[in-house]
Amino acid sequence: MRRTLAGAAAALLLLASPAFAARWDVDPLTSRLMFTGTQAGEAFAGSFPKFTSAIEFDEAAPEKGSIRITIDMRQLQIDGKDRMDALPTADWFAVAQFPTAEFTSTHIRRAAVGGGYLAQGTLTLRGIRRPLTLPFRLTTTGNSTVARGEVALNRQDFGVGQGRWASEEWVANPVEVRFELHATAR
């Protein structure tokens, strides 16, 4: 009888212990972080090809997960030489002063509508920290997962576009950020 109670207690402890999220290894060669905006009524597109990640996530227990993405702003790629020359400057991303941007989650949960997940956290860009909810969906095949999502940002919330660029006269405030992360859980 004592063995049975001891065994039952041990089993309950194991069941009650918190689940640990799997660590994801993100493939930097196939993953993408992109953005689009509008200048003088015309769409433009860019990307941040170099970023690092620290992701722990389990679909069965999203609340146990965490996400941190650090973006190397100096590696910015964008269509058009004028934009490529301008965006690293102090009027825009000020990459000499702020060489990285970072999203850090504080809580991850299932989305109430439409499936997927919501990562609540903080985005730091140009040294300005703002709360951000990042929606994403997963496609998992075996041990490989692709996370996709998009979010609209207001560039002025982060001081992107100073001086004559602060208004929407030439560049619209909304910027759409999209990502596709290819990862393997370990």
Side-chain angles (χ1 to χ4, degrees):
M1 177 75 128
R2 282 190 179 177
R3 268 189 176 187
T4 307
L5 286 175
L12 283 174
L13 282 174
L14 285 174
L15 289 173
S17 67
F20 292 99
R23 176 163 284 150
W24 286 17
D25 290 326
V26 175
D27 181 357
L29 297 177
T30 58
S31 298
R32 298 179 299 179
L33 177 57
M34 305 146 293
F35 64 95
T36 56
T38 306
Q39 180 181 10
E42 305 249 340
F44 64 85
S47 67
F48 297 101
K50 188 173 180 187
F51 55 91
T52 59
S53 60
I55 300 173
E56 293 185 11
F57 188 78
D58 182 346
E59 292 182 64
E63 67 282 353
K64 305 262 187 227
S66 65
I67 299 170
R68 187 177 71 242
I69 306 290
T70 304
I71 304 158
D72 185 342
M73 300 298 289
R74 299 167 298 188
Q75 300 299 315
L76 163 76
Q77 296 293 312
I78 191 160
D79 56 0
K81 180 178 177 0
D82 290 343
R83 288 187 197 104
M84 193 64 208
D85 291 343
L87 285 183
T89 69
D91 281 345
W92 293 96
F93 289 125
V95 300
Q97 187 176 358
F98 306 104
T100 61
E102 186 170 88
F103 173 78
T104 303
S105 70
T106 54
H107 182 73
I108 304 171
R109 62 183 168 86
R110 290 185 193 285
V113 178
Y117 302 89
L118 299 172
Q120 294 171 292
T122 301
L123 176 62
T124 304
L125 176 60
R126 279 186 57 108
I128 298 171
R129 297 169 47 91
R130 296 276 188 248
L132 178 69
T133 299
L134 187 64
F136 65 95
R137 293 180 162 281
L138 301 177
T139 305
T140 301
T141 306
N143 207 28
S144 297
T145 298
V146 178
R148 291 181 180 90
E150 61 184 63
V151 66
L153 301 177
N154 182 327
R155 67 180 177 87
Q156 286 188 342
D157 289 347
F158 297 93
V160 176
Q162 300 284 313
R164 70 181 195 173
W165 304 108
S167 80
E168 286 191 278
E169 181 181 358
W170 294 105
V171 180
N173 286 336
V175 175
E176 193 73 26
V177 177
R178 292 184 329 276
F179 61 90
E180 181 176 299
L181 302 179
H182 294 253
T184 304
R186 54 175 163 127

